[in-house]
Amino acid sequence: MFFNTHETFGLISRILHWTMALLILSLLALGLTIADMEPSLDSLWLYGLHKSLGFVALILVLLRLVWHRISPPPHPLGDPAALPQRLARGAHRVIYALLVIIPMAGWVGSSATGLDTVLFNTLTLPPIAPVSEAWETTAFTVHWATTWTLMGVLGLHIAGAFARAIKGDNTLERMISGS
Ligand code: HEM
Ligand code: HEM
């Protein structure tokens, strides 16, 4: 039930997938909202919320990578050597890599501003970069470019999932119900 098998996603992988899907789509929307605003005392809490949820996303992706070492995900349905299956696997790897780089770049950029990065108004993260305008600009440029790349890859990922569901293969179903 909890573990993945050769054919199915267990409960832990499914809960991680859908929690992260919701979290990442919210973070993308929240990120675009704050990037469009003038920073002010009124909007500070939105930055705090974005940083807090972004850090939760980093923890979840690391947990998910560890979990997939313990309980490897199922083989893709159909021929694993066929192009769509290989593209889907490539996309998953790119998504995992981006989900580590994006929050780390956010953390570096936030450290470089010299302001404390406080999660959920309680936990202060240690700074991981010197206070420097050059670091800040570079890190947020990386954050911006990688988030837009993620939006593109996720667009293909979601379109691919629905295309396979319409074709009648069980890929989406097994990520929802596990079988
Ligand atoms: C409506 C949105 C989404 C749908 C319908 C969807 C659907 C799916 C399905 C069906 C699979 C299983 C693929 C397979 O068996 O080969 C999958 C895997 C995956 N999805 Fe999504 N997904 C969605 C959103 C997201 C989002 C937002 C993320 C980013 C956090 C994401 C990241 C992943 C990753 C990394 C895998 C690979 C799991 C593994 O390691 O095997 N998905 N998705
Ligand atoms: C997976 C996690 C994350 C996602 C998907 C994400 C997404 C985004 C997006 C889409 C933007 C807008 C980019 C733009 O158009 O300029 C943004 C901005 C921002 N992010 Fe994140 N983010 C994540 C994690 C973090 C973390 C962990 C931090 C800090 C600890 C952070 C700090 C910021 C800040 C300060 C901005 C505003 C930058 C500016 O004003 O130009 N983000 N984020």
Side-chain angles (χ1 to χ4, degrees):
M1 179 185 182
F2 294 112
F3 288 83
N4 300 320
T5 68
H6 280 321
E7 277 82 37
T8 60
F9 281 104
L11 196 57
I12 302 214
S13 285
R14 281 182 283 134
I15 290 178
L16 279 171
H17 177 267
W18 294 114
T19 311
M20 279 182 52
L22 202 68
L23 187 60
I24 298 300
L25 296 178
S26 315
L27 273 166
L28 288 172
L30 195 52
L32 292 179
T33 310
I34 58 174
D36 240 15
M37 287 182 333
E38 281 300 318
S40 72
L41 278 181
D42 284 343
S43 63
L44 224 52
W45 70 276
L46 277 178
Y47 282 82
L49 182 64
H50 178 82
K51 294 176 190 180
S52 308
L53 295 179
F55 199 73
V56 172
L58 176 63
I59 308 265
L60 284 180
V61 78
L62 295 177
L63 274 179
R64 188 156 157 184
L65 289 170
V66 170
W67 177 244
H68 280 182
R69 296 261 147 216
I70 300 169
S71 180
H75 299 304
L77 292 173
D79 176 7
L83 190 62
Q85 276 78 355
R86 282 170 44 196
L87 284 178
R89 251 217 327 268
H92 297 159
R93 292 203 178 126
V94 172
I95 293 172
Y96 282 129
L98 289 172
L99 288 182
V100 175
I101 297 168
I102 291 170
M104 289 305 293
W107 188 1
V108 168
S110 299
S111 305
T113 63
L115 299 170
D116 278 346
T117 307
V118 187
L119 304 187
F120 300 110
N121 287 329
T122 43
L123 179 72
T124 304
L125 287 183
I128 53 166
V131 178
S132 135
E133 229 174 275
W135 276 76
E136 181 185 339
T137 314
T138 311
F140 281 126
T141 306
V142 171
H143 197 65
W144 167 82
T146 43
T147 48
W148 279 94
T149 310
L150 179 67
M151 288 185 228
V153 179
L154 281 180
L156 295 175
H157 173 73
I158 294 169
F162 283 114
R164 293 180 76 165
I166 289 165
K167 263 190 4 210
D169 109 0
N170 204 36
T171 300
L172 181 57
E173 190 51 40
R174 73 175 183 173
M175 188 47 108
I176 296 173
S177 69
S179 54

